[in-house]
Amino acid sequence: MSDDQEEVRLTLRLPAGLRDRLTWEASTSGRSLNGEMVYRLEKSLVDADQAEPAERVAELWQRIEKLEGDVEFFQNHFEMDLRRLEARFVDQQVELRILRDKD
């Protein structure tokens, strides 16, 4: 923590096992329990900030792949519907010619 940051007192409830582990980690790293907790919180935020762009890129690629699949699906259905409409149009033209020829 930098010297210019204001410190805030915080009452925190932790599971006893977690407190014990943090206490042990603090003693092996030469930090106080508070120092260990601040260190780990700051590190987790830095790690999250660094991982966030990579995770976001991976998420965007997944969305792009899904959208590509959706586009292909709708394109295939659109093409089938268009062929059906064209066939109906041709059938109606034939029927119209038959009706005209009868008259």
Side-chain angles (χ1 to χ4, degrees):
M1 183 181 322
S2 66
D3 294 334
D4 61 344
Q5 291 178 328
E6 180 182 336
E7 290 185 0
V8 177
R9 258 188 201 279
L10 177 68
T11 301
L12 180 65
R13 284 184 275 213
L14 296 173
L18 180 57
R19 184 204 58 218
D20 294 343
R21 182 165 180 205
L22 285 168
T23 301
W24 183 83
E25 294 289 339
S27 68
T28 60
S29 66
R31 290 187 274 271
S32 66
L33 176 58
N34 184 73
E36 184 69 20
M37 292 170 69
V38 168
Y39 167 78
R40 287 177 176 267
L41 285 170
E42 287 178 342
K43 183 175 180 339
S44 71
L45 293 174
V46 168
D47 290 348
D49 288 344
Q50 290 173 352
E52 188 174 306
E55 290 171 6
R56 182 72 177 138
V57 167
E59 176 189 321
L60 290 172
W61 275 115
Q62 287 176 343
R63 290 177 66 190
I64 287 169
E65 289 170 357
K66 183 187 180 316
L67 288 171
E68 286 174 338
D70 291 347
V71 166
E72 184 177 341
F73 172 81
F74 287 114
Q75 186 176 23
N76 290 338
H77 281 318
F78 174 75
E79 289 172 0
M80 287 188 312
D81 288 344
L82 182 60
R83 284 192 294 271
R84 281 189 207 123
L85 287 172
E86 288 170 341
R88 284 176 58 192
F89 179 71
V90 168
D91 290 345
Q92 288 176 354
Q93 285 180 329
V94 169
E95 286 179 37
L96 185 58
R97 283 189 193 132
I98 291 170
L99 289 172
R100 283 186 187 159
D101 290 343
K102 284 184 181 180
D103 289 335

